[in-house]
Amino acid sequence: MDMPQAGASSVQSLPLSPLADACSRKDLTAIHEILEKTGYKDDEGTANELSFQMWTNQMQDTLTSKKKGDSAFRQKDFTTAIDCYSQFIEVGTMVSPTIYARRCLSYLMNDMAEQALSDAMQALVISPTWPTAFYLQAAALLSLDMENEAQDALKDGCAQETSSSSGR
């Protein structure tokens, strides 16, 4: 019968964006370059309500930890990036799917696939239609030798990307 095979062949037939392709190959260097180039534009529209008290030392410390994390991420010092992004997340004054994406990749660079998967899933909780979160989830699942689940995540990311680009 002419029924398509499930698994890798069905994903390979999909037109993959550069990020989807890099994640499907677990090309961490390419993923890093794409995330660095994208910056924080995907955080637009994320609810970040800040009260007056947030603009105190705590807020300044939070922003400083983000800046230090970004600098470490740019310099490929992924251990420091994890520490700084973790400080940013723990304070909890702002929610950023991009911070989770960057810490996810930092975990992958440090062979910490379970933590990376957790961050990719948290990015999806914050932004359920963000293709990047699906793609990073796929890369983490591949690192955990969970091929079928990774293929599903790639398909979901491609579907989100296709629906968001056709809706524009």
Side-chain angles (χ1 to χ4, degrees):
M1 289 194 190
D2 276 338
M3 294 179 62
Q5 295 286 324
S9 61
S10 58
V11 169
Q12 290 171 350
S13 65
L14 295 172
L16 298 179
S17 67
L19 181 59
D21 179 56
C23 288
S24 73
R25 294 180 290 110
K26 258 187 3 182
D27 183 346
L28 302 181
T29 302
I31 296 168
H32 178 260
E33 289 172 8
I34 293 166
L35 290 180
E36 185 61 33
K37 191 183 329 175
T38 304
Y40 286 88
K41 76 174 186 71
D42 292 317
D43 281 5
E44 293 170 8
T46 304
N48 283 321
E49 296 179 22
L50 302 174
S51 67
F52 177 74
Q53 88 179 51
M54 297 297 178
W55 289 104
T56 60
N57 289 340
Q58 181 183 16
M59 186 61 185
Q60 190 58 47
D61 292 346
T62 301
L63 293 174
T64 299
S65 67
K66 178 188 170 293
K67 287 179 186 175
K68 286 181 180 176
D70 289 344
S71 176
F73 188 81
R74 210 173 7 265
Q75 295 170 11
K76 300 181 182 181
D77 178 0
F78 297 108
T79 302
T80 300
I82 290 169
D83 293 341
C84 293
Y85 289 146
S86 294
Q87 288 174 8
F88 177 87
I89 290 166
E90 287 165 11
V91 171
T93 55
M94 292 184 285
V95 178
S96 167
T98 302
I99 292 285
Y100 281 102
R102 287 172 170 235
R103 190 172 73 167
C104 172
L105 178 63
S106 297
Y107 279 134
L108 286 172
M109 291 288 201
N110 282 305
D111 295 320
M112 300 169 75
E114 289 180 20
Q115 293 89 336
L117 179 58
S118 176
D119 274 4
M121 292 170 77
Q122 189 60 43
L124 273 174
V125 168
I126 297 166
S127 190
T129 60
W130 191 33
T132 298
F134 285 104
Y135 297 147
L136 288 170
Q137 183 179 16
L141 288 164
L142 286 171
S143 295
L144 293 167
D145 295 323
M146 299 173 74
E147 180 77 27
N148 291 335
E149 293 85 349
Q151 297 301 325
D152 289 343
L154 282 169
K155 288 179 204 170
D156 291 343
C158 288
Q160 289 299 328
E161 200 162 22
T162 300
S163 70
S164 69
S165 65
S166 65
R168 287 184 186 161

